[in-house]
Amino acid sequence: MTVKNTDVLVIGAGGAGIFAAVNASKSGADVIIVSKGPSGYGDTRISLGAMCKSPDGLLDSNKKFAGDMMAGGGFLNNARLVNILVDEATAAAISLENCGHIFKRNPSGKLENPFGKFGGHRYNRTIISPAFGVSMGQAMRSGLARSGVSVLEETICAELIVAEGGVAGAVVLCMKTGEVAAILAKSVIMASGGAGALYYPHSDCMPCVTGDSYSLSLGAGAELVDMEQVQFLPFSITHPKSMEGVICGEHAMARPFGKLINNKGKVVLKNFHNMTRAEVSKIMIEEIKNGGATEHGGLLFDVSTNMKIPVLRTIYRNKMNEAAAHFLENIRKAYGKDAAEFREPWDVLPTAHYFMGGIITDECCRSRVAGLYACGQAQGGVMGGNRLGSTSLTEIFVFGKRAGMTAAKEANSRGLCSKEAAAVAVERLNNLFGRKGKIPPIKLKKRIQKLMWAHAGPLRDEQGLTAAYDLLAEIKKDAVDLGTASFRRYNTQVVDAIELSHMIPAAEAIIISALGRKESRGAHVRSDFPDTKKTITPGNVVVRNMGGKLTAVLKESTS
């Protein structure tokens, strides 16, 4: 059995994981970071690179910013975490610039976004980068290379090691060699993102984001909060099939005269550029369910009126080309030049984008399990029921730094467990090679993705969620009969089997949380509880692993 020892182990090498690892190393800890793919290549790299800055104290204020986040989140947010994000937003952006990523500034050098405020914000707090997430990912990758952190790429985590009442490391598989290793650590930071792949192809997330954070942490005894709160961006591409689910716009792009149109030419929605993503997605899915969908399953997003008004045309085109170039390139590839130049409407459909729920932590990113920390989408409580635009990247850098510093400091008071504590988990992982069952793991993964979109997507009800729970139970039974190849190097069937073991608990956590929240709140929309004015007192849905069975309980809100 290969064994590696370290002070701090970070699982996931996107923005949150890299910031956690670098700051843990700066704090004097020996650090190992593991990543399924190349470091810096997660969802952060494919983002638009927009962050928030702390208010400048003129019209806006920290209190107003926090108030917008709480209101947008349906008052499910942990107010202490919200205040930390607001207070430390600008400092996080400056830290990222110190790694080599650059944000737009005005001639006087002040951070400034010429595009204006994004959805859900009362004021313009967003800052943007001309190079989007690619620059951000590369800057982080370069910063990681200079940090002294040991980087294990193409390495997937199968199970956390639990010993002496806490988390003591992880068992991992190096995909390129097939080697199984136990990494013994004094502190473990979960930073492997959300679970967008549960909804593929209706997701704009990386396919490797399979809910690992949630599954691994539940298995170690951590609690999850508000897993039903999945954010669906309103506008993704519906066709061709190869681009389905790819993001193609923000509803802020509608300003001031954009509109959504159904298959009969009727205007479904207008003046929606200041609405939240959840509000727009809800109206779209309701219209589609009621028969208003186009032949490709979506609605038409028409901004052409903005180009027909001479005084507005040039301003609108310039702002779009500056702040939404990434969207327009996707539109050009899918729908052609006329659509990308605003002469034709775009066929759009909501797509899974972000998970507000996650591991319950305190302000220093500690979970309820000793030695286990969380940041980024792995962490719950920051965004509540719905995330405002451009707050995600702020979150990962603010709390990635906090997680790394706390984990490093507290590692000093812990020892390493014995390698024998990992032996059973290592054996379980080795036994995934050469399984003689009849079912390829990829087939079960696809069944999960199909049932989640059909029954636990942007619009839900009791009947559909119950069906999803029953279908997932069937998949659990079938997972006993997996078949895999026995070769070691790049055995994608074994990788699929590991990801399947993470997708099942993550999907179940979403389903039972959605069943437990009998109201529409935040991004969780129940068609059988349509009146948002008759909601229950704000409460958080907490998921626990009780002897191998997941349970969901509604508790009083942490805010």
Side-chain angles (χ1 to χ4, degrees):
M1 177 172 66
T2 300
V3 178
K4 301 177 185 292
N5 297 331
T6 190
D7 295 327
V8 177
L9 169 64
V10 181
I11 300 171
I18 289 178
F19 245 53
V22 169
N23 280 281
S25 181
K26 285 181 179 179
S27 299
D30 291 327
V31 184
I32 293 176
I33 188 169
V34 299
S35 176
K36 283 188 188 179
S39 58
Y41 273 64
D43 281 349
T44 305
R45 188 179 179 86
I46 62 172
S47 73
L48 296 180
M51 289 179 62
C52 284
K53 62 179 180 180
S54 302
D56 55 18
L58 298 176
L59 294 175
D60 199 5
S61 68
N62 284 15
K63 184 176 180 180
K64 290 177 181 178
F65 188 177
D68 285 354
M69 287 190 65
M70 295 296 295
F75 299 97
L76 299 181
N77 323 55
N78 182 319
R80 295 185 300 277
L81 300 181
V82 170
N83 287 328
I84 288 168
L85 181 145
V86 170
D87 292 344
E88 300 179 9
T90 298
I94 299 301
S95 294
L96 187 58
E97 284 198 319
N98 291 337
C99 293
H101 180 73
I102 300 299
F103 289 102
K104 281 185 175 292
R105 295 175 181 266
N106 63 19
S108 65
K110 183 180 178 181
L111 291 168
E112 185 177 77
N113 167 27
F115 195 62
K117 60 186 178 181
F118 280 25
H121 291 275
R122 279 182 285 176
Y123 297 92
N124 180 5
R125 304 167 181 132
T126 299
I127 54 177
I128 60 175
S129 168
F132 305 107
V134 173
S135 168
M136 191 174 287
Q138 194 59 39
M140 291 186 301
R141 184 173 172 84
S142 298
L144 185 63
R146 298 191 299 268
S147 68
V149 172
S150 297
V151 183
L152 303 180
E153 296 181 326
E154 294 186 278
T155 300
I156 184 171
C157 180
E159 192 173 335
L160 294 182
I161 301 167
V162 179
E164 300 176 4
V167 171
V171 174
V172 302
L173 169 67
C174 176
M175 291 181 260
K176 58 187 174 185
T177 65
E179 178 185 37
V180 171
I183 303 176
L184 307 184
K186 300 171 185 176
S187 297
V188 176
I189 301 174
M190 291 305 313
S192 55
L198 291 177
Y199 292 94
Y200 180 84
H202 300 288
S203 173
D204 69 340
C205 301
M206 294 289 281
C208 61
V209 185
T210 51
D212 305 18
S213 297
Y214 312 132
S215 169
L216 291 165
S217 302
L218 279 171
E223 295 176 332
L224 306 183
V225 64
D226 298 333
M227 287 300 293
E228 77 285 354
Q229 300 292 350
V230 181
Q231 185 176 67
F232 293 86
L233 282 183
F235 303 146
S236 77
I237 289 167
T238 61
H239 65 285
K241 198 76 174 174
S242 60
M243 293 188 69
E244 187 176 4
V246 173
I247 186 173
C248 65
E250 276 276 14
H251 55 289
M253 295 168 65
R255 70 182 65 176
F257 299 115
K259 50 188 177 288
L260 283 167
I261 303 170
N262 68 10
N263 56 9
K264 298 179 178 62
K266 178 183 176 182
V267 175
V268 175
L269 192 61
K270 59 183 179 180
N271 299 323
F272 55 88
H273 49 274
N274 284 328
M275 294 171 65
T276 67
R277 291 161 168 173
E279 290 169 337
V280 177
S281 293
K282 171 183 179 292
I283 292 170
M284 290 178 66
I285 291 297
E286 286 176 337
E287 178 63 26
I288 289 167
K289 294 267 188 180
N290 290 331
T294 66
E295 63 176 309
H296 300 291
L299 297 176
L300 296 177
F301 180 31
D302 187 359
V303 298
S304 61
T305 303
N306 293 322
M307 299 296 292
K308 295 175 182 176
I309 301 172
V311 70
L312 177 62
R313 183 186 303 123
T314 301
I315 296 173
Y316 183 81
R317 181 191 291 114
N318 289 344
K319 283 195 172 184
M320 283 289 200
N321 287 330
E322 181 177 21
H326 183 66
F327 294 147
L328 298 180
E329 180 62 16
N330 290 340
I331 292 163
R332 185 192 64 76
K333 290 176 181 176
Y335 300 147
K337 182 179 179 181
D338 285 345
E341 294 182 355
F342 320 117
R343 290 190 290 270
E344 291 182 357
W346 315 324
D347 202 285
V348 294
L349 181 69
T351 189
H353 178 67
Y354 184 88
F355 282 68
M356 276 73 68
I359 302 161
I360 296 177
T361 75
D362 65 9
E363 298 94 312
C364 294
C365 302
R366 304 180 190 94
S367 77
R368 70 187 293 265
V369 181
L372 182 64
Y373 308 80
C375 54
Q377 281 186 73
Q379 178 187 25
V382 182
M383 303 301 176
N386 188 42
R387 178 176 73 81
L388 302 189
S390 61
T391 54
S392 171
L393 295 178
T394 309
E395 175 196 29
I396 65 177
F397 297 119
V398 167
F399 291 101
K401 180 179 181 179
R402 282 181 163 249
M405 294 174 67
T406 306
K409 179 181 178 181
E410 297 182 353
N412 293 329
S413 61
R414 301 190 187 102
L416 293 171
C417 72
S418 67
K419 65 180 182 180
E420 285 72 24
V424 174
V426 168
E427 183 179 9
R428 270 195 290 266
L429 180 50
N430 276 318
N431 287 341
L432 286 180
F433 289 87
R435 291 277 296 269
K436 302 301 182 184
K438 300 177 182 177
I439 305 175
I442 188 65
K443 286 192 174 182
L444 299 187
K445 288 175 65 176
K446 289 180 177 179
R447 281 168 57 184
I448 290 175
Q449 292 161 340
K450 184 177 180 180
L451 77 87
M452 289 300 289
W453 176 252
H455 302 299
L459 189 63
R460 304 156 176 179
D461 59 32
E462 185 90 14
Q463 182 179 0
L465 291 167
T466 301
Y469 187 83
D470 293 340
L471 289 168
L472 190 64
E474 293 176 9
I475 291 172
K476 284 185 188 178
K477 292 178 181 178
D478 289 343
V480 178
D481 193 28
L482 292 182
T484 60
S486 59
F487 63 87
R488 285 276 170 171
R489 297 187 63 191
Y490 290 110
N491 189 327
T492 56
Q493 291 179 335
V494 169
V495 174
D496 284 337
I498 296 170
E499 290 188 332
L500 176 66
S501 73
H502 297 324
M503 291 171 72
I504 290 173
E508 185 173 354
I510 294 167
I511 293 165
I512 63 175
S513 296
L515 281 166
R517 186 173 295 285
K518 299 184 185 301
E519 63 169 351
S520 290
R521 185 184 292 274
H524 171 66
V525 182
R526 289 277 297 258
S527 61
D528 45 352
F529 295 97
D531 191 348
T532 56
K533 295 180 181 179
K534 293 183 178 180
T535 59
I536 59 178
T537 301
N540 299 113
V541 181
V542 177
V543 175
R544 298 188 182 98
N545 185 342
M546 307 293 289
K549 179 178 174 61
L550 299 190
T551 63
V553 178
L554 184 66
K555 293 185 139 189
E556 184 178 347
S557 174
T558 56
S559 66

